[in-house]
Amino acid sequence: MTCSIAASALAETQAELESGIVQTTEALRTQPGNALAYSARGYCYLGLKKLDEAEKDLLKAVSLDQKNKDNYLQLACLYSLRKQYEKALSNVRTAMKFGSQSMNTFDMELAYLSSSGRARECLKRCDEVLEKFPEDSNAFYFRAMSKQELGIGNDKDILSDFTAAIRLDPTAEGKKRDLEFFLSRIKAK
């Protein structure tokens, strides 16, 4: 049954996600304390946007395995979907505490800081992230957005951050739109 649990955690299509729920539910009948099964089923529910069920399973997985960083990252995504950015931030930081130190994890932290209106903290954190990951498009982007929100930095510095963000991630349409909006604001001055 462990193999089907692992497969559930890799599910992507609706059919795979639904099958994953069936498989992990069956595994939990015989192994009710299996944190991996709760985590995998929570992942499947999350993929299907069944957020209440996902939250219940992910919280159970955390209670059974408090040091598994992946459960906290999944909870962060869930709370982000609910626009509960403080909870998302708390969970991503817990994942970091338990070893999740990838650029993506740091980018999640920056997004939740920005979304929760903590621009000053986001700006400071962007600088720290860029020291660790100098090619992080999102860190440049959130730094530009934070500077604008705080009304600090000159237009040239903000433009430089936007330009770096787009150079490093040329397919990011949202970043391009924000740059265009910034440029139109400069022209209107």
Side-chain angles (χ1 to χ4, degrees):
M1 195 52 93
T2 303
C3 187
S4 64
I5 293 170
S8 300
L10 301 173
E12 293 181 5
T13 68
Q14 182 172 344
E16 290 171 336
L17 293 166
E18 289 170 351
S19 175
I21 291 169
V22 170
Q23 292 171 359
T24 52
T25 300
E26 182 60 33
L28 286 167
R29 282 191 183 102
T30 59
Q31 305 167 42
N34 188 327
L36 179 60
Y38 279 107
S39 179
R41 190 170 71 177
Y43 168 85
C44 292
Y45 280 132
L46 186 58
L48 293 170
K49 304 290 188 272
K50 294 183 177 184
L51 302 184
D52 291 340
E53 293 92 337
E55 181 180 35
K56 180 180 174 188
D57 278 356
L58 293 171
L59 289 173
K60 180 68 174 179
V62 164
S63 75
L64 294 168
D65 184 2
Q66 295 177 1
K67 294 183 179 180
N68 184 329
K69 63 186 182 292
D70 296 328
N71 294 330
Y72 295 103
L73 291 174
Q74 288 188 78
L75 280 167
C77 291
L78 180 145
Y79 292 127
S80 177
L81 289 171
R82 287 185 174 164
K83 299 188 183 332
Q84 295 174 303
Y85 300 115
E86 291 294 334
K87 281 185 170 183
L89 180 61
S90 174
N91 278 279
V92 81
R93 285 183 167 167
T94 301
M96 294 167 99
K97 180 177 109 178
F98 289 122
S100 186
Q101 297 291 310
S102 72
M103 187 170 72
N104 287 339
T105 303
F106 283 95
D107 289 347
M108 289 171 71
E109 179 189 30
L110 296 176
Y112 303 147
L113 283 168
S114 180
S115 296
S116 62
R118 296 165 69 167
R120 189 162 306 283
E121 187 178 353
C122 185
L123 180 60
K124 180 179 185 253
R125 196 68 170 133
C126 285
D127 291 336
E128 295 167 3
V129 171
L130 285 167
E131 283 182 30
K132 190 171 185 149
F133 302 104
E135 300 292 307
D136 185 348
S137 169
N138 291 314
F140 281 109
Y141 170 76
F142 285 115
R143 187 165 73 177
M145 296 300 287
S146 295
K147 286 177 183 177
Q148 286 185 94
E149 187 173 326
L150 294 167
I152 61 175
N154 62 48
D155 291 343
K156 183 179 176 185
D157 289 339
I158 295 170
L159 180 59
S160 174
D161 283 341
F162 270 128
T163 302
I166 293 168
R167 177 181 51 80
L168 294 166
D169 186 6
T171 62
E173 294 302 319
K175 292 174 186 173
K176 289 178 184 177
R177 279 192 301 276
D178 287 336
L179 171 59
E180 289 169 12
F181 180 74
F182 173 71
L183 291 172
S184 68
R185 204 187 86 226
I186 291 174
K187 288 179 185 177
K189 282 185 181 180

